[in-house]
Amino acid sequence: MGLRDQSWDGRSSVPALTRSLSRVSGGCWWHIVISAMVLDSGLQTSDRQHPACLPSCSQQRKRAPDSSRLPSRSKPLSSTHPNRGTQSIKSAGRVMPGCSATSGCSAYMGQCSWMRRSESSCTINSGSSGSRGRMRSAGSLPSISRASAEHRTPRRKNCLLVALKHCNVQEERDKFFLSNFTCDPQFEYEEPLPCTVLDKYKEASDQFLLQATRILNSVLRKYGSYETFESITGGNLLSKSQVWSRCRKYMQKECCSGEVVVQLTEDLLSQAVMSVENSRPTLSINLLGARQHWLEGMLRHEIGTHYLRSVNDAHQPWHGSEGRKQYGLRPANPTEEGLASLHSVLFRKHPYLWRAALLYYTVSRAAKGSFSELFHDLRQFVQDPSVRWEYCVRAKRGQKDTAQPGCFSKDQVYLDGILHILRHRQTINFPLLTLLGKVSYEDIEDLQRFAQLENTRIPHFMQNLDKYHSQLQHIMETNQLSDAELQQVLPA
């Protein structure tokens, strides 16, 4: 049974809508609760329109703004933050305008094919063959249909994460645990596997295995175990109300209140995923990983990086697959995920790159061994069998018989991107990298003269570039990385 989509438009005093799903899996009833909420700036008016249904930005500029229809916004950047995105992008020949009610903060209105999903994996909304309530490819954003579900046009193509989703994961997990972690899972998939994608990601790399292993061992030397590291540096798990409150405050910082639906669930393999669900930008957060000191980093990853770069990309002439071909752009990754991963740990006291390093290591080992061998190998870093199971499932995505060597190598992009960005951190124009949208740092110089910077935004944590660069240096030192080493493994 698929999850039924419901959205909350801010007109009710009820803080959230809760959706529940009961399903049978391996003879047991599982009950999953997902809460969804549109986090606006607190304005609740009876005639407020949905953002996706408003006229385009050009139409907005032709008429005086109606204050009763617009969410409250921060002051324009030119007055509130005079240096925000200005000095650092002079080489582009333009100055980024302020974030006003009719320009920057409404950048997602108008053209709707602006957003692409982040490179996270999820198991949300499982078990349905229909399109309702399902996460889908973010290649386009049509206006939200007001018609009933029966008259909606079904999706033409499922997204990668749905195609790689196991439909018998709970049954295989039970068998694996009952066998004392020796019976390699035999996975089945809801839909035919995308062979071209599997071929693309079937080869793992060992290029940064030394750095990944050193990062993992440095955490263990300092904290003794990952579980201790998580408890000390992550803090306590947050309640739903605490998560929503912090999400609302963060979106106010980024001047995007009311633009993103937030879903809270316990049915994610990753900590969070930014996607498009039923034509709305949607941030799904795993409550089991929503920790006191880590949540803001996750929001910098998903909203401050993925979301803002997607919004900015919609304004650029290279937006879309044809535009990217026309301008000869490199793939957005590994820059996209590398930048987002750095932002996850940017202001931590001890910004260890643990997750990126463990994902890289896991994929490298999965390519050479079976599921059970990988599971036992990871015990040197993670004691909790449930956590190890999740890492192994990610690395073995796309395989049916996991007794065979093989991997899905996409998760190596995080550490790969991190090290590339740190290697060139002194020469990268980070505000411009964000303003240009979903582009590689290698394309900045070629694209800046074509850039359309009106109505684009940079995240609030890039306002002070001196502090930003000092934090990147702190990440280098904490993870025992040096410029000499990075220059050696990544020659110019």
Side-chain angles (χ1 to χ4, degrees):
M1 180 186 297
L3 292 182
R4 183 166 185 162
D5 171 72
Q6 301 179 44
S7 61
W8 182 72
D9 62 2
R11 291 176 289 189
S12 170
S13 59
V14 181
L17 290 178
T18 302
R19 298 176 286 166
S20 63
L21 165 68
S22 297
R23 59 187 173 95
V24 178
S25 181
C28 299
W29 281 94
W30 290 83
H31 187 69
I32 304 169
V33 177
I34 297 181
S35 299
M37 182 176 185
V38 180
L39 297 181
D40 62 12
S41 56
L43 181 65
Q44 297 181 6
T45 56
S46 59
D47 61 344
R48 181 179 173 188
Q49 292 183 2
H50 194 291
C53 300
L54 291 175
S56 67
C57 296
S58 60
Q59 292 173 316
Q60 287 282 337
R61 286 193 291 269
K62 293 181 181 178
R63 64 184 184 187
D66 181 358
S67 59
S68 68
R69 290 183 178 274
L70 293 171
S72 60
R73 304 293 184 186
S74 302
K75 294 180 181 179
L77 298 184
S78 56
S79 59
T80 308
H81 306 295
N83 295 325
R84 185 173 181 182
T86 300
Q87 294 178 351
S88 300
I89 62 173
K90 287 182 179 178
S91 60
R94 295 172 182 258
V95 176
M96 185 180 66
C99 181
S100 64
T102 58
S103 57
C105 289
S106 300
Y108 65 95
M109 299 186 296
Q111 275 198 356
C112 290
S113 57
W114 50 265
M115 184 167 181
R116 297 193 181 279
R117 114 175 12 257
S118 65
E119 308 297 342
S120 304
S121 74
C122 63
T123 58
I124 194 168
N125 299 347
S126 58
S128 171
S129 59
S131 62
R132 294 184 62 182
R134 295 279 295 278
M135 287 192 174
R136 57 179 180 161
S137 176
S140 63
L141 269 179
S143 298
I144 293 180
S145 172
R146 299 299 183 185
S148 62
E150 290 76 8
H151 296 91
R152 291 175 186 166
T153 302
R155 291 178 294 122
R156 294 182 180 180
K157 182 180 180 180
N158 281 316
C159 71
L160 174 62
L161 300 184
V162 172
L164 292 178
K165 178 170 170 28
H166 321 82
C167 59
N168 64 335
V169 65
Q170 187 59 46
E171 294 91 330
E172 292 303 305
R173 185 184 190 277
D174 293 341
K175 293 177 184 177
F176 184 71
F177 277 64
L178 288 173
S179 71
N180 196 26
F181 318 124
T182 59
C183 179
D184 293 300
Q186 305 294 305
F187 287 129
E188 298 174 1
Y189 296 86
E190 293 183 354
E191 299 174 11
L193 293 174
C195 296
T196 55
V197 174
L198 294 179
D199 288 341
K200 180 180 178 180
Y201 294 110
K202 69 180 181 180
E203 300 293 338
S205 171
D206 290 338
Q207 183 179 6
F208 307 120
L209 188 58
L210 175 64
Q211 289 75 27
T213 306
R214 187 169 65 226
I215 292 169
L216 297 173
N217 286 328
S218 65
V219 172
L220 296 183
R221 282 194 300 270
K222 183 174 180 63
Y223 295 96
S225 68
Y226 168 74
E227 287 74 17
T228 304
F229 164 71
E230 181 182 56
S231 175
I232 293 176
T233 65
N236 298 325
L237 288 173
L238 299 173
S239 66
K240 286 185 178 181
S241 61
Q242 289 173 320
V243 172
W244 269 322
S245 175
R246 295 187 182 208
C247 288
R248 178 183 294 109
K249 290 178 181 178
Y250 183 84
M251 291 187 192
Q252 289 172 347
K253 291 180 185 179
E254 301 297 8
C255 195
C256 62
S257 298
E259 296 179 18
V260 178
V261 175
V262 174
Q263 287 189 153
L264 306 182
T265 179
E266 297 180 359
D267 195 27
L268 285 175
L269 275 179
S270 57
Q271 295 176 342
V273 58
M274 191 75 212
S275 64
V276 173
E277 186 177 357
N278 290 327
S279 306
R280 288 301 307 271
T282 301
L283 172 61
S284 299
I285 300 175
N286 189 346
L287 280 171
L288 299 179
R291 293 189 171 270
Q292 180 182 0
H293 305 308
W294 288 357
L295 182 64
E296 177 131 349
M298 181 274 294
L299 294 172
R300 287 194 299 269
H301 182 119
E302 302 293 348
I303 300 294
T305 310
H306 290 318
Y307 176 71
L308 289 187
R309 275 169 57 92
S310 297
V311 171
N312 292 339
D313 194 80
H315 297 287
Q316 306 308 328
W318 49 83
H319 176 62
S321 58
E322 291 303 317
R324 297 185 71 87
K325 291 178 183 178
Q326 180 182 349
Y327 283 83
L329 299 193
R330 297 172 176 85
N333 272 321
T335 296
E336 176 74 18
E337 290 298 349
L339 188 64
S341 298
L342 284 170
H343 292 163
S344 295
V345 302
L346 194 62
F347 295 105
R348 291 185 190 176
K349 183 178 180 180
H350 301 293
Y352 284 105
L353 299 165
W354 169 274
R355 184 168 178 82
L358 187 54
L359 287 171
Y360 191 96
Y361 179 92
T362 302
V363 168
S364 177
R365 290 292 186 246
K368 302 172 183 176
S370 67
F371 190 104
S372 57
E373 291 171 341
L374 174 63
F375 185 87
H376 291 292
D377 186 357
L378 293 184
R379 192 176 187 277
Q380 61 183 306
F381 303 119
V382 179
Q383 298 297 315
D384 189 338
S386 296
V387 176
R388 278 186 279 154
W389 164 266
E390 292 173 356
Y391 275 95
C392 292
V393 169
R394 286 184 66 122
K396 289 288 188 178
R397 280 178 293 176
Q399 277 191 280
K400 294 182 178 180
D401 180 8
T402 65
Q404 305 301 317
C407 69
F408 186 71
S409 64
K410 208 164 191 281
D411 279 342
Q412 289 193 317
V413 74
Y414 299 99
L415 187 62
D416 189 337
I418 287 171
L419 297 184
H420 274 87
I421 290 173
L422 291 177
R423 160 72 171 84
H424 299 281
R425 71 191 186 284
Q426 303 295 350
T427 58
I428 293 175
N429 186 330
F430 286 99
L432 188 56
L433 178 60
T434 300
L435 295 173
L436 295 180
K438 297 278 193 175
V439 302
S440 168
Y441 73 90
E442 298 171 278
D443 287 329
I444 293 178
E445 186 175 350
D446 295 333
L447 295 177
Q448 59 183 355
R449 61 196 175 103
F450 304 108
Q452 301 295 323
L453 300 182
E454 185 179 358
N455 295 330
T456 54
R457 291 178 271 178
I458 60 171
H460 76 282
F461 50 83
M462 280 186 185
Q463 294 170 21
N464 187 333
L465 281 180
D466 290 336
K467 184 176 181 181
Y468 184 86
H469 278 281
S470 69
Q471 290 296 317
L472 295 182
Q473 182 61 35
H474 183 38
I475 292 173
M476 290 274 293
E477 295 168 357
T478 300
N479 293 276
Q480 301 177 24
L481 298 170
S482 68
D483 287 315
E485 178 185 23
L486 293 181
Q487 289 169 9
Q488 182 178 3
V489 297
L490 292 170

